[in-house]
């Protein structure tokens, strides 16, 4: 998708971003949390580098992407070079894409199996990189959505923590489709607490998207991944 940083687009992103920040503020207030505990990640998949630039200009430095090829191309845009972005990779990942992903991603939220830990560790070591990695926890029984079963999360966290070129940051989840986000995020939190008991540095809880960020804030999310509420709706064809 090509795009331009028009004043109209800037105004639209600004309005959306203001509304999302207000939702986060309100949710934190209701949950008795400090909003400074929350990092907002703008998920720019399907949207052009020009939007990333506009968002950076509006104070967003955390950018999320979920498809390797698109993300790699977008992040290579020369106009993004000086912006000091933190790039979060959120999508399901094949092991053969590990070298590509570690070349531009600072954090990888979707680590869900030991083979992927090994591939990312190898790729990061040979690239001289040290990305942060999160255990993606599956909160429903749909294997197409990724994630390790909650009872396998601790073992995967141990594997990441033991990988020389990866830093274990915490856990990530996507709420089940059409389900109850509160129950799902409460479960995620208990998995996160368990992991933190053995890995005190694993403080991130990446949960909450456009539709359910309030529930995520209620259950201890530290990182919200918000796409459509900021960027607008994506094409439905994927
Ligand atoms: C696309 C995506 C998001 C953002 O979803 P919205 O509903 O547009 O906010 C968050 N997390 C992951 C893993 C995604 O792929």
């Amino acid at each position: 998708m090509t795009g331009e940083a028009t004043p109209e687009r800037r105004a639209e992103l600004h309005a959306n971003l203001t509304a999302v920040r207000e939702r986060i503020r309100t949710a934190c207030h209701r949950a008795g949390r400090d909003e400074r505990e929350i990092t907002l990640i703008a998920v720019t998949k399907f949207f052009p580098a020009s939007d990333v630039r506009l968002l950076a200009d509006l104070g967003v430095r955390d950018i999320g992407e979920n498809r390797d090829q698109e993300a790699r191309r977008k992040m290579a845009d020369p106009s993004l070079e000086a912006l000091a972005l933190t790039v979060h990779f959120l999508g399901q990942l094949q092991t053969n894409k590990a070298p590509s992903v570690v070349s531009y991603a600072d954090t990888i939220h979707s680590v869900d199996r030991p083979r992927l830990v090994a591939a990312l560790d190898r790729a990061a070591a040979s690239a001289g990189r040290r990305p942060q990695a999160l255990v993606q926890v599956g909160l429903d029984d749909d294997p197409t959505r990724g994630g390790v079963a909650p009872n396998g999360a601790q073992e995967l966290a141990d594997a990441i923590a033991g990988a020389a070129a990866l830093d274990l940051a915490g856990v990530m989840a996507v709420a089940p489709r059409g389900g109850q986000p509160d129950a799902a995020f409460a479960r995620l939190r208990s998995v996160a607490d368990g992991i933190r008991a053995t890995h005190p540095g694993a403080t991130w809880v990446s949960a909450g998207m456009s539709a359910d960020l309030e529930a995520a804030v209620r259950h201890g999310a530290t990182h919200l991944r918000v796409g459509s509420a900021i960027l607008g709706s994506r094409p439905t064809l994927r």
Side-chain angles (χ1 to χ4, degrees):
M1 185 173 176
T2 57
E4 275 181 86
T6 62
E8 291 76 19
R9 182 59 171 157
R10 188 183 197 282
E12 185 181 1
L13 292 177
H14 183 239
N16 291 346
L17 196 55
T18 303
V20 166
R21 285 178 171 148
E22 189 54 38
R23 281 175 64 190
I24 295 171
R25 186 168 309 127
T26 302
C28 282
H29 184 72
R30 294 202 172 130
R33 296 187 58 194
D34 184 337
E35 63 190 272
R36 287 170 300 187
E37 295 168 17
I38 308 274
T39 299
L40 172 61
I41 300 169
V43 182
T44 53
K45 65 188 182 204
F46 285 99
F47 291 95
S50 57
D51 281 347
V52 177
R53 210 154 56 237
L54 286 170
L55 287 168
D57 194 42
L58 294 166
V60 175
R61 286 294 186 280
D62 287 272
I63 297 296
E65 287 283 338
N66 82 332
R67 298 186 308 172
D68 171 57
Q69 205 179 20
E70 175 189 347
R72 177 159 32 92
R73 204 178 295 139
K74 200 180 300 181
M75 293 310 149
D77 190 299
S79 73
L80 303 185
E81 223 165 75
L83 297 178
L85 301 171
T86 297
V87 178
H88 301 259
F89 189 82
L90 313 173
Q92 286 184 46
L93 193 48
Q94 291 166 349
T95 51
N96 64 358
K97 299 286 177 58
S100 172
V101 167
V102 301
S103 73
Y104 60 83
D106 301 290
T107 83
I108 299 153
H109 290 232
S110 44
V111 181
D112 61 0
R113 58 200 191 280
R115 271 171 48 90
L116 184 55
V117 175
L120 289 168
D121 187 33
R122 252 193 328 272
S126 71
R129 304 259 299 167
R130 193 182 174 82
Q132 291 181 285
L134 286 78
V135 175
Q136 182 178 351
V137 182
L139 296 174
D140 59 16
D141 300 320
D142 182 353
T144 66
R145 305 193 82 202
V148 65
N151 64 12
Q154 179 75 49
E155 197 178 330
L156 198 59
D158 293 344
I160 295 172
L166 302 175
D167 266 333
L168 174 66
V171 298
M172 177 274 220
V174 179
R177 249 189 260 278
Q180 301 284 336
D182 279 281
F185 292 148
R187 182 124 195 244
L188 179 66
R189 177 185 228 162
S190 76
V191 172
D193 288 346
I195 290 172
R196 213 165 39 238
T198 42
H199 303 288
T203 55
W204 295 22
V205 179
S206 168
M209 320 201 314
S210 295
D212 54 23
L213 69 85
E214 285 84 1
V217 168
R218 276 196 290 280
H219 297 285
T222 61
H223 290 69
L224 306 175
R225 311 178 308 266
V226 180
S228 50
I230 297 173
L231 281 300
S233 53
R234 294 180 288 273
T236 44
L237 195 71
R238 309 198 38 182

